[in-house]
Structures are given as C-alpha cells and as structure tokens.
Amino acid sequence: MFAKFLSLLLFFYVLYAFLFGVIIFHFHQPSTSHYLNDLDIYRFYSESLSQDRVVLVEDRVESGIARINLIENAQHTLDISYHTLHSGMASDIFFSSLVVATDRGVHIRILLDGMFHNLRGSLKEILYAFSSHPNIELKLYEPFEPLQPWTWNNRLHDKLILVDNELAMIGGRNIGDKYFAPKGYVGASNDRDLVIINTNTNQPVGSVIFDMKIYFDTVWNHEYSENSVRDLSKKQQEKGLKMLLNLRQQLESYQDRYPEIFQRNIQWINQSIPTNYISFIHNPIKRMNKEPWVWFELITLAEHAEQSIWIQSPYLIPTNEMMHFDRNNLRAAEINMITNSLAATNNKMAYSGYIWYRDSIAANQDVQLYEYQGPTEQLHTKTYVFDNRISMVGSFNLDPRSTFLSTESMVVIDSEPLATMLIDKIKKDIKYNSLMVAHDGTYHPSALVEAEEVSKLKTILIRVISIPMRFFQFML
C-alpha cells in the first residue's frame, strides 16, 4: 500500500513538473516593454576611436593561459560569471588561482548557474572553501527548487570575467578541460573569447566594462541569486579551510609541473586592435519566456546589413516564435552560416531540433550553409558579423533557449579590423573543416574536407529524438 502511494505521488509530481516546467512555456507570452521599439541601431556605430581596445583569443590553450593571466594580475576586484564548470585540470587551476589571488587581497565575486554549476560530489567542498574565505563571495543563480518547476529553465548562460576597471573577458567557453585542451584532444570544444581593454581607467564610464559591471551587479543583487552556503556548520568550515589549504598547495604543484602557463608576461595592449565603439547587450532578468532583447538586436543588425552576414553558432534552430521578429527584410548580398554537423555535435537534443530546419535553410538561394565535420572536435562559437564592420561575440546561440529562456550577454563591436579577423577565422573553419550543404541536403564536394561518417546508432537516435522534440522546440 505504501509503495503504491509513493508511486502515485511520484506520478502526480512528474505530471506537475511537466505541466509547469515544460508545457506552460508553450503558452506563456513574454511581457513587452519599449525596448523593442525605442532603440536606434545606429547607436552601435561611431566614426571616432573608442577608449576600448580588444584582443581576439582563439586558441584553446592560449585561452586558458589568458584566464590565468587575468586572475594573476588582478589588483582589486574580480567579478566572474559562468554557466558550468567541469572537474579536471582546468577547474583545478581556476579554483586554485582564485584562492591565491584573494589571499593577496583581491575581492572576488563568483556567480554560477544554480543547477549546472557542478560543484557537487568531490567538488562540493569548493563551496565550503569559498564560503570560509573573507575575500570570496559565491552565489548561485536560480538554485533548484523542486516545487517551482517554472524556474528550472531560467538559467544563467553568461561567461564573463571583469578585472578591476581595466580588463574584461567575454565569450562562449565554460570552465573545463575540453575548452582549453591542446591539439589532438578527443572531444575538444572550439570557442572564441574577446579581452577588452579600457585604455583610460580615469574615465570608467566611457568604457563598455562599466556597463558590463552594472549588469553583473544587477544579476548579483537580484532575488534570483542566492548565497551558495547560508550558514557553515563547524564541520563544513573545517572542510572548507582544509580545501583552501589543498588548493594553495595544488597551485604550487601545477606551477612546478607547467611553469609555462603561469605568470606569463602578456602585454594585452600590444596585442590589441582599435575599436570605434563597443556596446554591451543582454537579455532581461526574468523568469518564464523573456522578451528577446539579444535576438531582436541580432535580427535588426542583419536586416540593416547590405553586403554580408556571417553567422557561426553551434546550434541553428530558427523556430516560428523566433522568426516572428524577423520582418523578412534581409537584403545582404551574401549570407553565410556555419554550425556543427551530425558527426561533430555532442548535443543530440539541439541537433534533433536543427534537422527540422536544415533542408529549408540549405534550400534558401540567399544562404550558404556549412557544417563543421569534426568528428573529434566541435564548434561552440557564437559569433555574428555584419558588413565587415559590426561584430557580435558572447554567449548567445541561435536557438529558442538563448532567445527566450536563458540570461545571455554579448558585446557588439564597431571595428573593421576585428570584423576582418573574425571573418578570416570563420573562413578558415569553412575551408579546412567544413562542407557546404547543397539544396537537396547532401554535401558539395571539397578537395580539402571529407564528410565524416556517422554511426547508424547516432543517426537513428537523432531521428527518434526529433519526433517528440518537434513539439518541444521552444525548450531547445
């Protein structure tokens, strides 16, 4: 009898979670504001030089070194926001470097997604360690609430590092070995970061870093962001202090084994390129379906483009709800899109949504669709370039989850030198690692790239998943 009662209770809970964690999003309409009507697209442009300069960080290993360098050279404050962390060498060094930085007086605030932070199991004591240190604060955005399933899709997807008032990093990488792995690493994830330099720290308001800081403060102080540990017990505090000691010793060990990645004298200003203007954009901080601020900006820039549009996204799922904001006014002479192939992708759910649009995108006479072949690496890059001048880089994927559900943040950069660099990088991915999808869904032949084989099991699995996901694409 008791087992039957538990089964019945579980059934009703699953039904409740499905209705208010999934189905409700199909019917809920985002609240509207004047945002979509009042913004002028020309605010992204300038004819004079900005005080902000940028460095493009592409290589996986160099991106890891860049993060270490930013942490090592922080003088006063570090504000950090990430979606997820994966255990391994990368996160070991990340946590250890933060502890050593805060030991020397740097005040650190870390904001992580409340469900996908992965500080569980062996990593749970990181929470105790950071909560035990007077100079580190750690908050979780929208922690798991079992009785509020409508909050489960309000996820933090930002990837930001803000250093004092002088430097910032934004991109699409999370913290994990696959994002910073050397060549040959199976399962590597290729992404892109920008380091932004404020060349006039006496005028912080004139830098985009000031706007990024305001956004971070807004999310940090929001009711959705909660302290990771409210009150440490004596036992938890002892574990935290022990973990702090372990992290300090761990960093010394890594410094002895890999001295080449620490204390690198990176002259960011010497590597940087000028910009005319950098803007910071983001989604609203709300639950349920959000008003699609970032998507609206992207679509408006695309409609404004006359020469070319370059889109690089790991997922392409342009649902009807997204295209409602597209006024079909695209007039660019050249539109290029690159995403992961079935062989390269490791996100089967997202790909199951993409296949419903793949043929129609490829059949569009105005679009050239390319698929990155992998198969041991995948694209995780989110980059959009318009008319060889305006670029967007950050966390936004071209899918409904980034459009309506998650927090997302991007920088919009007016810089022809940066746009040229980004297009060259995308063209390189196309030339050496991708194939163009023909109008009938097959691949155009290439002398440099072969279509990677896909196992029958993966192909069948994607097809099977795609059938029910056809009705739940608003969640992908």
Side-chain angles (χ1 to χ4, degrees):
M1 179 67 73
F2 183 68
K4 186 179 291 186
F5 172 75
L6 285 180
S7 298
L8 190 63
L9 188 64
L10 178 61
F11 169 78
F12 280 111
Y13 176 75
V14 172
L15 179 63
Y16 167 74
F18 182 68
L19 289 175
F20 291 97
V22 178
I23 298 299
I24 192 173
F25 286 88
H26 180 69
F27 298 99
H28 176 262
Q29 295 299 315
S31 59
T32 58
S33 68
H34 295 293
Y35 186 94
L36 303 187
N37 302 318
D38 295 348
L39 295 181
D40 182 2
I41 199 69
Y42 292 101
R43 78 188 192 283
F44 293 130
Y45 294 80
S46 176
E47 299 305 323
S48 58
L49 287 180
S50 164
Q51 70 189 66
D52 290 332
R53 297 174 66 91
V54 295
V55 179
L56 178 62
V57 183
E58 194 88 3
D59 180 79
R60 294 193 300 264
V61 173
E62 290 300 320
S63 179
I65 292 172
R67 282 166 171 77
I68 297 169
N69 179 267
L70 293 176
I71 295 171
E72 288 179 334
N73 287 283
Q75 299 298 313
H76 305 289
T77 61
L78 269 170
D79 291 331
I80 297 169
S81 181
Y82 274 102
H83 174 65
T84 189
L85 306 114
H86 304 279
S87 61
M89 177 178 168
S91 59
D92 287 347
I93 293 176
F94 181 71
F95 295 136
S96 301
S97 298
L98 291 175
V99 170
V100 172
T102 203
D103 284 345
R104 67 171 188 269
V106 179
H107 182 75
I108 298 176
R109 295 186 297 176
I110 306 169
L111 184 61
L112 302 175
D113 181 76
M115 288 179 61
F116 293 99
H117 53 79
N118 283 334
L119 296 183
R120 302 178 181 91
S122 61
L123 292 180
K124 189 170 184 178
E125 292 183 6
I126 295 291
L127 297 176
Y128 305 150
F130 286 177
S131 298
S132 300
H133 201 296
N135 277 346
I136 303 180
E137 297 179 82
L138 194 155
K139 286 188 176 183
L140 302 179
Y141 178 85
E142 202 75 280
F144 178 67
E145 291 288 348
L147 297 181
Q148 298 180 21
W150 53 88
T151 69
W152 298 351
N153 284 293
N154 184 23
R155 306 288 21 112
L156 179 84
H157 200 238
D158 306 317
K159 289 93 175 174
L160 302 172
I161 299 179
L162 308 179
V163 186
D164 302 325
N165 291 315
E166 183 177 353
L167 296 166
M169 174 180 275
I170 186 171
R173 286 183 175 92
N174 295 298
I175 302 297
D177 290 350
K178 67 179 181 179
Y179 299 100
F180 312 111
K183 188 175 181 180
Y185 183 95
V186 177
S189 184
N190 296 314
D191 218 307
R192 178 170 292 127
D193 296 300
L194 287 179
V195 174
I196 302 169
I197 307 164
N198 175 16
T199 62
N200 186 359
T201 54
N202 293 325
Q203 295 286 338
V205 177
S207 170
V208 71
I209 297 175
F210 181 80
D211 298 327
M212 297 168 78
K213 176 85 168 181
I214 290 176
Y215 172 74
F216 183 92
D217 288 343
T218 300
V219 184
W220 178 267
N221 294 315
H222 202 280
E223 61 178 319
Y224 300 161
S225 300
E226 301 180 12
N227 290 322
S228 58
V229 181
R230 290 182 174 88
D231 294 303
L232 285 176
S233 67
K234 184 177 180 180
K235 186 175 181 180
Q236 289 173 336
Q237 190 171 32
E238 290 174 352
K239 287 182 177 180
L241 293 174
K242 183 178 179 181
M243 176 58 74
L244 287 173
L245 180 60
N246 290 341
L247 290 171
R248 296 180 184 108
Q249 294 173 343
Q250 183 174 258
L251 186 63
E252 292 179 3
S253 175
Y254 278 119
Q255 288 172 335
D256 290 339
R257 291 159 58 192
Y258 307 104
E260 67 277 6
I261 68 175
F262 294 94
Q263 296 297 335
R264 288 276 289 268
N265 184 23
I266 301 177
Q267 298 296 322
W268 290 112
I269 194 67
N270 294 341
Q271 299 182 29
S272 65
I273 56 177
T275 69
N276 288 358
Y277 196 70
I278 305 181
S279 306
F280 180 72
I281 61 175
H282 58 83
N283 276 346
I285 311 304
K286 291 186 176 181
R287 287 173 175 160
M288 305 294 289
N289 285 319
K290 300 173 173 63
E291 194 174 33
W293 290 359
V294 175
W295 173 246
F296 177 78
E297 304 284 18
L298 194 158
I299 281 294
T300 307
L301 283 167
E303 291 174 343
H304 183 73
E306 296 181 351
Q307 303 167 26
S308 63
I309 299 171
W310 294 82
I311 294 174
Q312 190 172 40
S313 173
Y315 322 118
L316 293 178
I317 312 175
T319 62
N320 291 334
E321 290 78 14
M322 292 171 64
M323 301 315 293
H324 170 74
F325 295 90
D326 178 9
R327 293 179 287 271
N328 294 314
N329 291 329
L330 296 185
R331 50 182 175 171
E334 179 185 7
I335 303 175
N336 300 278
M337 308 176 76
I338 175 173
T339 191
N340 286 306
S341 66
L342 178 56
T345 189
N346 69 350
N347 190 331
K348 297 179 179 61
M349 298 291 283
Y351 197 89
S352 72
Y354 165 60
I355 61 175
W356 289 99
Y357 301 93
R358 182 178 184 269
D359 290 348
S360 61
I361 296 173
N364 189 325
Q365 299 290 335
D366 299 323
V367 176
Q368 295 187 85
L369 174 64
Y370 299 91
E371 291 184 347
Y372 187 87
Q373 293 300 300
T376 60
E377 299 179 359
Q378 66 161 336
L379 286 178
H380 196 248
T381 311
K382 312 95 164 55
T383 302
Y384 311 87
V385 187
F386 308 97
D387 277 351
N388 304 308
R389 176 170 177 175
I390 298 292
S391 308
M392 292 178 67
V393 177
S395 67
F396 184 89
N397 298 310
L398 207 157
D399 60 26
R401 179 161 291 276
S402 282
T403 302
F404 297 108
L405 296 177
S406 300
T407 70
E408 302 290 352
S409 50
M410 303 282 285
V411 284
V412 184
I413 311 102
D414 180 4
S415 171
E416 290 185 6
L418 176 64
T420 299
M421 291 176 67
L422 290 172
I423 292 172
D424 287 344
K425 296 292 185 183
I426 296 173
K427 284 182 176 179
K428 185 178 178 181
D429 279 336
I430 289 174
K431 182 176 181 179
Y432 295 107
N433 299 295
S434 307
L435 291 172
M436 182 177 174
V437 183
H439 293 163
D440 61 359
T442 62
Y443 287 128
H444 283 289
S446 168
L448 300 175
V449 183
E450 292 186 1
E452 295 291 343
E453 292 186 8
V454 183
S455 69
K456 289 184 179 180
L457 178 61
K458 188 175 185 180
T459 302
I460 293 172
L461 185 60
I462 291 292
R463 291 293 179 185
V464 170
I465 294 174
S466 71
I467 296 172
M469 291 314 299
R470 182 73 176 91
F471 304 99
F472 300 103
Q473 291 182 9
F474 56 89
M475 307 295 293
L476 296 177

